Amino acid sequence: METRFVPDAAGAWLVYDLGTRVLAVPSELRAAADAVVAGPAIGLAATVDALRSSGVADAAPFAVLDVTAGELSLVLRGPATVAVGDVTFTGLGADPWFESRLPDVAVARLTVPGGEWTFTFRPEPVSRPTPVIATPVIATPAVVAPPPPLLEPRSEITEVPELSVPVPVAAPDAPAAPDAPAAPDEADEADDRTVALEDRPRRPAVPADDATVVVDEIARLRATRSAGLADPVAPAVVAPAPAPALSLELPDGSREPLDAVVLVGRAPAAPADGAARLVRLADGDISRNHARIAVEGGTVVVTDLGSRNGTIVRIPGRPAQKLRGGEPTPVLVGTVIDFGGGVELRVREG
């Protein structure tokens, strides 16, 4: 239901409390504001368009606050300020107006000529999907049969038994009978037996060339057995895929590569070593040195350099986040970097 705060002093503003939306205008614009309030419920951008179509000039001051899904959006022009926590936003000096979006805001304090009000918004409930917990699948290890044992090669060398030739042992000489001459035929038989023993053929030695042939045959048999085993194959080396190139999409649609540090601002100053790209954005709400954007470890990192109006990032799948000055914040591809006043950059691949 509409709640209207009627000013008590001249020059004071009218303030309309519409639950999740607040509208504030000077008292001379009451007719235009009443026409907007009497119409159907609309969002922030449509409210601003309805004010302008109802007679509010481009230079007329006004303030619009809107909460949708827990995000506070505000548009300020002229002497209107909004305080959220310890951060204050103003519409003074904004051309055409100051615009910002803040996540997770339920209470805001509006100050306009003639009064100051604190509003507690009643955001619409946001349904959240029930998380699905995936059950890990544990694969059963494969059982690998051990390889069959290798058969020892048979030796082709046949052992030849050693032939032992008995050597007769001569009996000790008996003293010969004196004066007894030996018979001639017996002495001849003894000499014949001695010659027969010496002339007996002995076992021939194995020539050195034959031994070499046997060793070569063993080596051949071992090589034949080894030929059935495949040689080990070295694993293929796969080179890692190169990291994708990243860039910034500027408001005019052009892209700035992120192969070096990028400094964004109304008139950014290059560092002493000169190792930075300078991106100039011609807008009154942009600070001289507004933000620093770089790729560190394959991740895009955005740092607000203590700008006047601040920097807001909208990471895909997350609520908008206002950066703290000097604190690096990692973002993803597709993130929108909002510098206020409708000036936005996007993180892209390629």
Side-chain angles (χ1 to χ4, degrees), residues 15-16 29 100 109 124 222 229 241 271 328 343 349:
V15 180
Y16 298 83
L29 301 178
S100 184
R109 187 175 68 254
E124 299 177 356
R222 289 180 177 175
L229 302 178
V343 179
E349 278 190 358

Side-chain angles (χ1 to χ4, degrees), residues 46-237:
T47 300
V48 175
D49 293 339
L51 280 175
R52 299 177 65 181
S53 62
S54 298
V56 177
D58 290 340
F62 64 89
V64 180
L65 289 73
D66 180 81
V67 170
T68 302
E71 180 181 73
L72 172 62
S73 300
L74 53 92
V75 177
L76 306 174
R77 184 164 67 190
T81 62
V82 173
V84 177
D86 55 355
V87 181
T88 301
F89 306 92
T90 181
L92 288 174
D95 183 19
W97 53 66
F98 172 79
E99 180 178 354
S100 184
R101 287 180 289 273
L102 307 173
D104 301 328
V105 175
V107 179
R109 187 175 68 254
L110 171 66
T111 303
V112 295
E116 178 180 298
W117 294 270
T118 299
F119 296 97
T120 301
F121 298 100
R122 299 180 296 277
E124 299 177 356
V126 179
S127 60
R128 300 182 182 274
T130 303
V132 178
I133 301 176
T135 302
V137 178
I138 302 176
T140 303
V143 178
V144 181
L150 299 178
L151 299 179
E152 292 294 333
R154 294 183 178 180
S155 175
E156 297 296 332
I157 301 177
T158 304
E159 296 291 339
V160 179
E162 185 75 20
L163 295 179
S164 59
V165 180
V167 179
V169 179
D173 295 334
D179 301 328
D185 53 347
E186 294 179 357
D188 293 339
E189 292 177 1
D191 292 340
D192 293 338
R193 289 194 300 266
T194 303
V195 172
L197 179 64
E198 292 177 353
D199 293 343
R200 178 177 295 180
R202 298 184 179 182
R203 184 177 67 128
V206 179
D209 294 340
D210 294 343
T212 304
V213 171
V214 173
V215 173
D216 292 343
E217 180 65 17
I218 294 175
R220 185 187 66 78
L221 293 174
R222 289 180 177 175
T224 302
R225 184 198 64 177
S226 302
L229 302 178
D231 294 335
V233 180
V237 179

Side-chain angles (χ1 to χ4, degrees), residues 23 27 44 51 96 117 134 162 168 182-183 196 260 283 295 325 330-331 339 345:
L23 171 63
S27 57
L44 181 137
L51 280 175
W117 294 270
E162 185 75 20
D283 191 278
V295 177
V331 300
F339 298 105
L345 305 183

